[in-house]
Amino acid sequence: MTPEELRRLAESHEEARPEPRHCIKVCVAAGCLSAGSDRVREALQNEIAQRGLENECEVKGVGCLGLCTAGPLMLVEPDGVMYQRVTEEDAPAIVESLGKKSVEQLVCPSDMSFFTKQYKIVLENSGVIDPEKIEDYIARDGYTALARVLEEMTPQEVIDEITRSGLRGRGGAGYPTGLKWSTVAKAGGSRKFVICNADEGDPGAFMDRSVLESDPHRVLEGMAIAAYAVGASQGFLYVRAEYPLAVKRLRTAIRQAERLGLLGNNICGTTFSFHVDIRLGAGAFVCGEETALIASIEGKRGQPRPRPPYPAEYGLWGYPTLINNVETFANVAPIIRNGGDWFASIGTEKSKGTKVFALAGRVRNTGLIEVPMGITLREIIFDIGGGIPDGHRFKAVQTGGPSGGCIPEQYLDMPVDYDSLAKVGSIMGSGGMIVMDETSCMVDVAKFFMDFCVSESCGKCVPCRVGTAQMYHLLNKITSGEATMEDLALLEELCDMVKYTSLCGLGQTAPNPVLSTLQYFREEYIAHIVDKQCPAGVCQMRQ
Amino acid sequence: MNQPVRVKTLKIDDRDVSGREDETILEVARQNGIFIPTLCHLEGLTPIGACRLCLVEIKGVSRLLPACVTRVEEGMEVYTQSERLQKYRRMVLELLFSERNHICSVCVVNGHCELQSMAQILGMTHVSVPYRFPRLPVDASHERFVVDHNRCILCTRCVRVCDEIEGAHTWDVMGRGIDSRVITDLNQPWGESETCTSCGKCVNVCPTGALFEKGKPVSDRQKKRQFLPYLTMMREERR
Amino acid sequence: MSKKRIATVWLDGCSGCHMSFLDMDERLIEVFQQADLVYSPLVDLKEFPEQVDITLVEGAVSSEEDLHKIRMVRERTKILVAFGDCAVTGNVPSMRNPFGAKATLQRAYLENVTLHPQVPREAIPALLEKVRPVHEVVKVDVFIPGCPPSAETIFLALSDLLADRMPDMAKLTRFGA
C-alpha cells in the first residue's frame, strides 16, 4: 500500500458513513472501564436508539483521556465538552444537551492546567480514535510513516533519522535508541528479531497499558519501521497476561493490519515482510529485564543472564535482537513523519521529546500525562497534578518504581530528565510517579518496595535472592521498633553489596528506595530506631 | 578451514598473561595459577555467573564483572583481590550460610564441602547477617540418593549436569527468589521420577551436602568429578 | 606486667569445646603462666567476677538464663570470644529453630517419654523461641569456629590474645572442624 492508497482509504472511510452531527467519545481504557464506562456507553447508545437519533449521533469507545481520577470520562464533539464522573443515569441529560447548553454539573474544565500543560506525541491519538478501528488510526496519518519508510528511505536513513531525534529508551535506562538500532543493524546473522517489551510491572505504572489499549497500531507501526531498519522479519510483543484488554486490542490490531497488507508478507507491496506474534508474560516482574524476557519467549524459566553479550548481538535463540519498550516504539512513527529535528527540538539537551507518566498517590489529579522532558517536578505535581489534596503537605515523590528513589521537596524545581533524576539518586524508570505527603512513612515506603523485590527476585544470583530478603528483614525490624544502630549499619552495607554484585538490573537497583530515603530522610530511620517512634504514625511499634 | 585463533594479552593482578579470544578471565587466571573463587562454576558445565564470587574489577569498567563468563580482551587490566571484592565475596558467603540450615558439624559432607572450604579460604569466621532457619524438606525417596534442601545453595550444577551432560533434564528450579528450590521432574518425589537415570552425576557435582549417596560413611563422601572433563571432551570430538 | 584474667562459660553446648580446651594438656601450663583462670565451669567458683580480660563462651544462646548470663558476661569482659561452632553459628542447638520451642519441648518431654510424660515447669529455664549465635545477642570480638576447635587452634588463638594480637582464625580452623 502506497501513501497515496492509504490516504484514499482514509478518505473513503470518511465518506462511507454519513458524518453524524455529534460524536460522544467514551473512554474505554482500563481506568474508566473499571469505573463503569462500558455501562455508560451502553446507556448512551440505548438513549440514542430510543430517541431515534442513530444518524445524528455516534457513540464511540476511545482510549485514555488522561484524568483517570475523574472517570468515567467522555468527550462530546464537535462541542468540545468533556464530562467527568458520568453515570448511567446521566445518559438522558447528555443526549438531551447535544448541540445545546452542556450539562453543567458534569463538565470537566478542559482549560485546566492538567490538560493545557501537557504535550502529546505518544498519546496524540489516545482519547481521539477508536483503538479497535484501524481506519481511525489511518485517518490520523497512521501507517504513513511506514509507507514512506518503505517507499523512500533506506534502512540506514531510518536509523539516522532516529539517531538525529535523540530518542532514548523509555523503558527506564534511557539507552540511545538510534545507537541500539544501528548495533542490531550491523550485527551479522541470517535472522534477526524485534521485540516489544510490554511487560510493564512497576507498582503504580500504567503508561504502556494505556498506549496499547488506546492506540495499539502506533506500536505496531513503530515495530515494523524498526524491523525494516535493522533487517528483521519477525517480531514479538511480550505483554503481561494481566493486561487482557491490551492483548485483545493488539490481537485485533494485528489482524486488521495484516488484512490491509501493513503487516505480514510483502508489506505495502514491497519485498519487506514482518510478522508480529504476541507472547504473554506469566506475571514475573523480572521478565521485564531483556535477557529474562528473551528466555521467557524461548519457553525457558524467566531468568536473566549476564551481559555482555547484549541481545543486540546475541538475543532470541542466539540471533541479534532489538528490544525496545512500548513507549519507545510509539515515538517512532511521529519522528519519521515530522523528522528527527522536530523531535530533537522538544525537551532538554540530553533528553529529547516527551515522557508519559502515570501520576498517582497523594495528588488531586491522578492519571496519565505526557509532558515535555525538562518540565519541573513542581509543574507536574502542582500544576498538572493540582497539588496535594486535603490540606496536606508535599513530602516526596517516588519515581522509577522499585528501582527508583524518593525525591524530597528541595528538588521540586529540578528539570525532569534522565540525568537530573539520576543525580538525585532516583531514575526516570518507565514513568511511574507516586506523590507522598506527610502521612507517608519513608521507612515504610522503602519496606514496601523491598517487599516487592523480595517476591520478584528470580532467585538466580545470591545477592539479590538472599540480600533482598535480609534487607527486608532489617527494614521490618526498624519499622517494628526492634532495630539498633548496628542494624542500620548492616542495612547500609547490604545495600552497597547488593547494588554492586547483583546479576541484573532488578538486584542492582533494589537498594535504591532504601538508599534514597536514607539520603534524604535519615532522621526518620533514626526516629524509628532510637526513639522507637514513627513520625508519620504509620508503623506499629512493638512495645 | 579453521579460522586462525586470535590471542589477547592482558594483565591480571598486574601480571602479564595471554589467552585465546574465546577464553574467559577465569580460565586464563586458572591457567596462570591465579586464584578466583567460584561456587556455581564447574568446568564442563555452561557458566551462568550466578554465585557472584568470581566478580572481578576491570580498569575502566564501572561495573564488577563475573570472571566465569567474561571473555578476555586485549589490554584488559583485571584485578581479582581488591579489599572491596574480598568484602563482597565474604558477604556472598555469609548470605548463603544464612539462607538455609548449613550445620557443618552434622553434615554428611563435613570436610568435603566447597561452601565450607570457601568460607575458610575467604576468611569468613562468622555470619554477620541473621540466620533465617527456614523449614525445608529432605527427600530420601530415591533408592540410592537423597536431596536435603537445607544444604542447597541453588548453584544449579545438578540442573545443568543433568540437562547438558546426562541429557535427562530431571532437575529444574521452581519458585522464585528466596523460595526457589531445585526439583525433580514436576516437583515429584525423586524416587518416583520417570526421567531420572540414577546416574549420580548430580550428586557428584553438588558442591555441598544437598545431594548425597545413601549408605556411605562421611569420610568417603569426596565428590568424584573426573567424568566431567572426560565426557565433555568425548562430545566435542564427536562434533 | 600483671597476669591477664581469663574466664570460660558455657551456654547451650555439649561441653566438647571445654574438653578440647583441656586437651591443650601441658600447654595449659604455658597459658596459665601468663594468665589466671578467674571463672570457669571447670573450677568451683559460683559468681562471674568483674573485670575479666578474655572470656571464652561455649554454646549458643537458647534460654532466658543464657540470655541473662551472656549479657552479664559481656558487661564484665574486655574481649569476648565466641568459642566453637555453637557460639559462632548456633550449630546443633539451632537445629530446633525451624520447628520452634514448643515442638521441641513436646518432642523431648512428651512424645519420647513413656513414664509420666510432662513438660517441666520449674527448675528448667524457659526456652527462647529461637536459638541464636552469641553475636546476634551481644557484641563478640573474636570468633573461633570448629566443632570443637582443636586444642592446637585454641592454644594458638589464646597465645595471640595474651600477646595482645588479633588471631587470624580462618587460617587455623573452619566450621564443623
Side-chain angles (χ1 to χ4, degrees), chain C residues 70-92:
Chain C
I70 193 64
R71 284 186 177 144
M72 182 261 293
V73 168
R74 173 70 267 189
E75 252 171 49
R76 300 177 181 185
T77 305
K78 249 191 241 156
I79 296 176
L80 190 72
V81 183
F83 178 36
D85 273 356
C86 294
V88 178
T89 74
N91 203 17
V92 173

Side-chain angles (χ1 to χ4, degrees), chain B residues 31-50:
Chain B
Q31 287 157 18
N32 288 281
I34 298 167
F35 173 75
I36 299 176
T38 54
L39 270 179
C40 68
H41 180 268
L42 190 64
E43 210 171 311
L45 301 180
T46 309
I48 52 167

Side-chain angles (χ1 to χ4, degrees), chain A residues 232-530:
Chain A
S233 57
Q234 172 70 51
F236 289 98
L237 256 155
Y238 190 87
V239 197
R240 23 181 350 202
E242 292 93 325
Y243 287 177
L245 186 62
V247 174
K248 180 174 153 253
R249 289 188 179 155
L250 276 170
R251 288 216 164 103
T252 309
I254 292 172
R255 212 166 41 236
Q256 291 170 340
E258 282 173 347
R259 202 171 296 150
L260 291 182
L262 295 163
L263 278 182
N265 288 329
N266 303 96
I267 295 175
C268 297
T270 65
T271 53
F272 172 64
S273 299
F274 182 59
H275 299 263
V276 177
D277 280 325
I278 293 177
R279 288 288 178 275
L280 297 188
F285 177 67
V286 75
C287 286
E289 199 278 346
E290 55 184 16
T291 57
L293 188 153
I294 287 175
S296 176
I297 292 182
E298 288 173 351
K300 297 180 189 146
R301 183 175 158 86
Q303 282 189 328
R305 60 159 177 80
R307 301 173 305 175
Y310 288 90
E313 194 189 323
Y314 188 92
L316 194 56
W317 293 297
Y319 297 105
T321 302
L322 174 77
I323 300 192
N324 276 138
N325 152 275
V326 169
E327 200 184 325
T328 316
F329 281 127
N331 270 306
V332 170
I335 290 174
I336 298 294
R337 279 204 308 268
N338 305 323
D341 293 328
W342 159 79
F343 191 81
S345 69
I346 309 158
T348 65
E349 198 198 329
K350 285 188 174 162
S351 305
K352 304 295 186 191
T354 59
K355 179 79 194 85
V356 182
F357 287 103
L359 192 56
R362 302 288 291 168
V363 60
R364 268 197 197 93
N365 306 327
T366 56
L368 202 70
I369 58 165
E370 183 172 359
V371 290
M373 293 278 190
I375 192 172
T376 64
L377 283 168
R378 191 183 295 280
E379 284 173 280
I380 293 181
I381 296 163
F382 288 91
D383 296 343
I384 297 175
I388 317 298
D390 310 327
H392 286 290
R393 255 184 77 79
F394 172 86
K395 185 172 185 180
V397 55
Q398 212 279 347
T399 70
S403 309
C406 294
I407 303 170
E409 200 172 3
Q410 74 235 49
Y411 295 114
L412 270 181
D413 292 308
M414 186 191 76
V416 173
D417 60 38
Y418 290 100
D419 312 281
S420 312
L421 285 172
K423 218 174 286 167
V424 297
S426 188
I427 58 163
M428 176 80 76
S430 58
M433 199 175 262
I434 301 164
V435 181
M436 288 170 281
D437 63 17
E438 77 277 7
T439 60
S440 295
C441 165
M442 302 316 279
V443 189
D444 189 58
V445 168
K447 189 174 90 170
F448 168 82
F449 283 110
M450 194 54 74
D451 187 25
F452 182 83
C453 290
V454 171
S455 48
E456 293 299 340
S457 164
C458 78
K460 181 172 177 175
C461 76
V462 183
C464 177
R465 182 179 75 229
V466 198
T468 54
Q470 290 285 6
M471 286 192 286
Y472 176 76
H473 171 81
L474 288 167
L475 286 166
N476 203 28
K477 229 170 142 182
I478 295 175
T479 56
S480 54
E482 293 170 343
T484 59
M485 289 306 280
E486 282 82 33
D487 288 324
L488 185 62
L490 182 61
L491 176 66
E492 290 188 278
E493 250 183 78
L494 277 170
C495 282
D496 172 70
M497 183 261 183
V498 173
K499 182 175 176 155
Y500 290 105
T501 60
S502 290
L503 193 157
C504 82
L506 196 159
Q508 287 159 8
T509 58
N512 283 359
V514 182
L515 287 170
S516 75
T517 48
L518 266 172
Q519 188 178 350
Y520 301 120
F521 301 96
R522 197 180 183 87
E523 71 283 356
E524 281 194 33
Y525 281 81
I526 308 282
H528 283 80
I529 296 168
V530 179

Side-chain angles (χ1 to χ4, degrees), chain B residues 97 101 103-106 110-111 116 119-120 123-135, chain C residues 88-89 91-92 94-95 97-99 130-133 135-136 143 145 147 169-170 173-176:
Chain B
F97 271 99
N101 305 307
I103 298 168
C104 298
S105 59
V106 291
N110 186 4
Q116 187 186 32
Q120 197 180 12
M124 187 201 107
T125 55
H126 71 288
V127 175
S128 55
V129 292
Y131 285 93
R132 298 182 60 257
F133 298 117
R135 189 168 179 175
Chain C
V88 178
T89 74
N91 203 17
V92 173
S94 74
M95 286 170 76
N97 284 357
F99 310 95
K130 291 240 151 106
V131 175
R132 292 287 168 195
H135 69 271
E136 282 190 27
F143 297 86
C147 185
M169 294 319 303
T173 180
R174 60 171 164 79
F175 297 130

